[in-house]
């Protein structure tokens, strides 16, 4: 039975992950679950909810919550990490500052992702060091954003680590939607995928008969638009984001694109669509934040989670638990994960953190080779990798020049004068978090 800690235990994603844990107990047995967050108030609400949920669904599991890293990381087998350094106050700045200067404002893409990345690296590095001191053999499953930059930074800082897995839920979100579009069991679909995190493409989607369903999916999406499987739970901005899969496919019909590529392919169009006075942070605060916390408080007051509405079993929660189970039980199931390239995509830099399909077992991820990719994709990815690498180096060396180079390379910025203005504004906003550049 496993002892786990969930970092970012006060997040609105936590109830869904906890629920997924209770529904996967036969696959992933639990002994102890500790929730850990630096925000005491948020942690208490979600932590009390967790106690009620497990008391009703799995009373044999010991559940607790803490704001003390020494308690959180002691003797664990798995760390589920989804922290948000700076919380929503800083996410808001990541989105609004670039937008004030006419540049994409998004939590993982462009200057917003750069800003968030420089904040995340320090806390992530500290987390890994704490975990290794208190639980030397634990697996660290990392979902922290911006995942691309975090993954590359951890690989550079801890090159010998072989028990850190970086993974994102967007490929599986897409795969679930594809499975709905072709009315096929998602567990029987085998994807071939290449790229970087939030910057990749599905080339094939094989079913259990060996047939590639990607052509059919492209046809469906091109004719009727893309509809996410969980459309009724999605806010307006996400529905608009998904709608653009069709545009991307029309312009670049080779492969099925990750949704996030639209910020890099159509930056001018996307900027016009984004409102600097009402960004995704405002939408999340007005929606998910309010709803989840109100519901968790209600459950705590009532003392039962049996009629709970917010703890739906979303893809994110299911995936986190299935990933852990695949490692713990050496199931070697296929997931799309981030790994150091080293030849997987033959004509890309070896040190990039590529996102590809891999089997997952006790030996960690065993990626499938992709081979050479075509010029257009190679060009885009090399540019994005250079941005990611310079961002990590700017952090590690405290280099303003590298930070400016990174932002200038980013397809959402391009103009160096604009890059400098946005960088200076972000430095000011992040002075409590960033190293001196
Ligand atoms: C998707 C992405 C995640 C991202 C999340 C943001 O799931 O794959 O990387 O964190 O969306 O969602 P939010 O609802 O907070 O904007």
């Amino acid at each position: 039975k496993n002892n786990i800690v969930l970092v970012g235990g006060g997040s609105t994603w936590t109830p869904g992950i906890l629920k997924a844990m209770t529904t996967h107990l036969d696959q992933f047995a639990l002994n102890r679950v500790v929730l850990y967050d630096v925000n005491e108030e948020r942690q208490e609400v979600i932590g009390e909810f967790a106690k009620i949920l497990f008391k009703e669904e799995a009373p044999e599991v010991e559940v607790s919550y803490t704001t003390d890293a020494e308690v959180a990381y002691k003797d664990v087998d798995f760390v589920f990490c989804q922290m948000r350094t700076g919380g929503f106050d800083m996410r808001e700045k990541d989105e609004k500052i670039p937008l004030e200067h006419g540049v994409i404002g998004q939590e993982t893409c462009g200057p917003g992702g750069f800003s968030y990345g420089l904040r995340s690296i320090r806390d992530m590095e500290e987390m890994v060091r704490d975990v290794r001191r208190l639980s030397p053999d634990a697996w660290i499953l990392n979902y922290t954003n911006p995942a691309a930059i975090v993954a590359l930074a951890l690989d550079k800082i801890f090159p010998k680590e072989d028990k850190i897995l970086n993974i994102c839920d967007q490929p599986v979100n897409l795969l679930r939607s594809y499975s709905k579009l072709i009315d096929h069991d998602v567990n029987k679909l085998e994807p071939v995928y290449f790229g970087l995190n939030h910057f990749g493409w599905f080339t094939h989607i094989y079913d259990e008969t060996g047939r590639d369903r990607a052509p059919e999916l492209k046809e469906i999406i091109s004719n009727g638009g893309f509809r996410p499987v969980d459309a009724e739970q999605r806010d307006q901005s996400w529905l608009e984001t998904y709608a653009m899969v069709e545009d991307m496919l029309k312009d670049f019909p080779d492969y099925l694109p990750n949704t996030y590529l639209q910020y890099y392919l159509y930056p001018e169009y996307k900027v016009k669509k984004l409102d600097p006075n009402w960004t995704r942070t405002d939408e999340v605060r007005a929606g998910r934040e309010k709803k989840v916390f109100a519901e968790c408080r209600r459950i705590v007051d009532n003392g039962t989670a049996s009629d709970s509405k917010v703890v739906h079993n979303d893809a994110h929660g299911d995936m986190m638990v299935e990933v852990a189970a695949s490692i713990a039980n050496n199931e070697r199931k296929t997931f799309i994960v981030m790994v150091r390239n080293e030849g997987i995509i033959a004509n890309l830099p070896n040190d990039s953190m590529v996102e590809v399909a891999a089997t997952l077992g006790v030996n960690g991820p065993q990626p499938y080779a992709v081979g050479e990719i075509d010029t257009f994709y190679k060009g885009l990815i090399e540019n994005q990798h250079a941005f990611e690498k310079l961002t990590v180096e700017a952090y590690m060396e405290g280099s303003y020049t590298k930070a400016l180079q990174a932002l200038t390379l980013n397809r959402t910025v391009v103009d160096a004068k604009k890059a400098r203005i946005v960088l200076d504004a972000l430095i000011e906003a992040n002075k409590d978090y960033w190293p001196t550049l």
Side-chain angles (χ1 to χ4, degrees):
K1 286 196 177 180
N2 295 286
N3 292 335
I4 66 151
V5 57
L6 183 52
V7 185
S11 157
T12 47
W13 295 96
T14 301
I17 300 166
L18 295 169
K19 180 72 184 169
M21 287 178 189
T22 64
T23 56
H24 288 74
L25 283 168
D26 51 339
Q27 233 185 313
F28 187 61
L30 291 170
N31 176 55
R32 170 163 44 91
V33 176
V34 179
L35 304 183
Y36 170 52
D37 205 291
V38 292
N39 184 319
E40 203 167 346
E41 204 188 322
R42 293 174 71 99
Q43 185 54 95
E44 190 183 345
V45 179
I46 308 285
E48 288 301 322
F49 158 79
K51 286 186 175 174
I52 292 172
L53 177 74
F54 273 86
K55 194 176 80 201
E56 290 180 339
E57 310 269 329
E60 69 283 8
V61 183
E62 194 187 310
V63 179
S64 62
Y65 58 90
T66 181
T67 52
D68 183 351
E70 300 297 313
V71 175
Y73 299 137
K74 186 97 187 105
D75 297 332
V76 293
D77 303 301
F78 284 89
V79 179
F80 287 29
C81 187
Q82 42 139 27
M83 60 171 81
R84 181 183 285 289
T85 299
F88 280 96
D89 288 347
M90 290 308 294
R91 178 177 182 175
E92 182 174 15
K93 292 184 185 172
D94 295 341
E95 293 166 350
K96 292 187 178 171
I97 290 172
L99 280 171
E100 278 162 22
H101 301 283
V103 177
I104 295 285
Q106 210 281 330
E107 70 158 345
T108 69
C109 302
F114 168 90
S115 171
Y116 187 15
L118 289 195
R119 283 202 308 280
S120 295
I121 298 172
R122 180 174 293 173
D123 284 355
M124 289 297 294
E125 182 179 351
E126 191 182 302
M127 178 274 295
V128 174
R129 292 193 199 286
D130 286 343
V131 170
R132 284 297 165 254
R133 187 166 47 78
L134 296 160
S135 292
D137 293 325
W139 266 97
I140 299 173
L141 310 181
N142 180 48
Y143 308 85
T144 299
N145 263 328
I149 292 167
V150 168
L152 191 65
L154 294 184
D155 191 55
K156 296 264 181 247
I157 299 169
F158 304 105
K160 295 218 168 76
E161 266 288 349
D162 56 1
K163 281 188 155 183
I164 299 179
L165 180 77
N166 296 284
I167 181 165
C168 168
D169 64 334
Q170 195 59 358
V172 82
N173 283 333
L174 287 163
L175 205 57
R176 283 193 176 200
S177 298
Y178 299 154
S179 82
K180 177 90 188 294
L181 291 176
I182 56 171
D183 194 18
H184 203 91
D185 180 357
V186 68
N187 296 309
K188 298 201 169 128
L189 294 176
E190 172 109 12
V192 182
Y193 186 91
F194 76 93
L196 307 172
N197 173 244
H198 283 184
F199 206 96
W201 294 264
F202 289 90
T203 59
H204 307 280
I205 313 272
Y206 293 111
D207 66 18
E208 70 279 22
T209 71
R211 200 168 117 213
D212 184 6
R213 311 296 293 265
E216 185 184 339
L217 276 160
K218 284 194 241 171
E219 185 83 19
I220 294 172
I221 295 168
S222 307
N223 289 328
F226 184 90
R227 194 175 154 77
V229 63
D230 53 357
E232 35 325 300
Q233 286 169 35
R234 292 280 175 180
D235 292 323
Q236 189 52 30
S237 68
W238 263 109
L239 294 176
E240 284 167 19
T241 301
Y242 276 113
M244 285 201 74
V245 172
E246 194 178 337
D247 296 64
M248 291 193 274
L249 208 47
K250 193 166 159 217
D251 287 337
F252 307 105
D254 293 344
Y255 309 131
L256 293 156
N258 189 301
T259 40
Y260 283 87
L261 283 160
Q262 61 194 265
Y263 295 105
Y264 304 100
L265 295 172
Y266 314 110
E268 279 180 28
Y269 174 81
K270 290 296 290 183
V271 164
K272 283 194 207 120
K273 288 281 187 190
L274 294 171
D275 177 357
N277 298 313
W278 184 261
T279 61
R280 179 68 190 145
T281 299
D282 298 302
E283 199 178 34
V284 172
R285 275 186 168 142
R288 187 171 73 226
E289 281 281 307
K290 274 212 177 108
K291 255 190 267 161
V292 172
F293 277 98
E295 179 68 352
C296 285
R297 285 199 178 94
R298 187 187 70 80
I299 287 166
V300 173
D301 289 346
N302 288 356
T304 173
S306 57
D307 62 345
S308 164
K309 280 177 244 129
V310 281
V311 292
H312 62 268
N313 210 353
D314 64 2
H316 181 60
D318 284 346
M319 182 194 72
M320 284 174 89
V321 184
E322 283 162 14
V323 159
S326 194
I327 294 173
N329 312 328
N330 201 21
E331 288 167 10
R332 296 195 219 101
K333 278 197 190 149
T334 301
F335 294 88
I336 292 169
V337 301
M338 283 158 258
V339 285
R340 195 190 298 154
N341 186 30
E342 282 178 341
I344 301 165
I345 304 178
N347 51 350
L348 283 184
N350 279 336
D351 73 338
S352 50
M353 288 298 279
V354 293
E355 198 169 63
V356 291
T359 58
L360 261 186
V362 279
N363 252 337
Q366 304 297 319
Y368 291 104
V370 171
E372 295 216 340
I373 55 172
D374 289 344
T375 308
F376 176 63
Y377 305 94
K378 180 173 184 276
L380 284 173
I381 294 174
E382 277 180 338
N383 179 79
Q384 179 71 0
H385 168 61
F387 154 76
E388 291 172 2
K389 190 172 173 178
L390 287 163
T391 300
V392 172
E393 288 174 0
Y395 170 89
M396 292 174 80
E397 297 165 24
S399 167
Y400 182 93
T401 301
K402 286 198 168 172
L404 187 59
Q405 289 174 342
L407 286 184
T408 305
L409 273 181
N410 197 287
R411 287 182 57 86
T412 68
V413 185
V414 175
D415 185 289
K417 286 202 186 300
K418 230 186 228 181
R420 185 183 280 278
I421 293 168
V422 174
L423 176 59
D424 290 344
L426 290 174
I427 288 175
E428 178 60 25
N430 280 284
K431 54 181 183 298
D432 294 341
Y433 298 94
W434 284 6
T436 307
L437 295 183

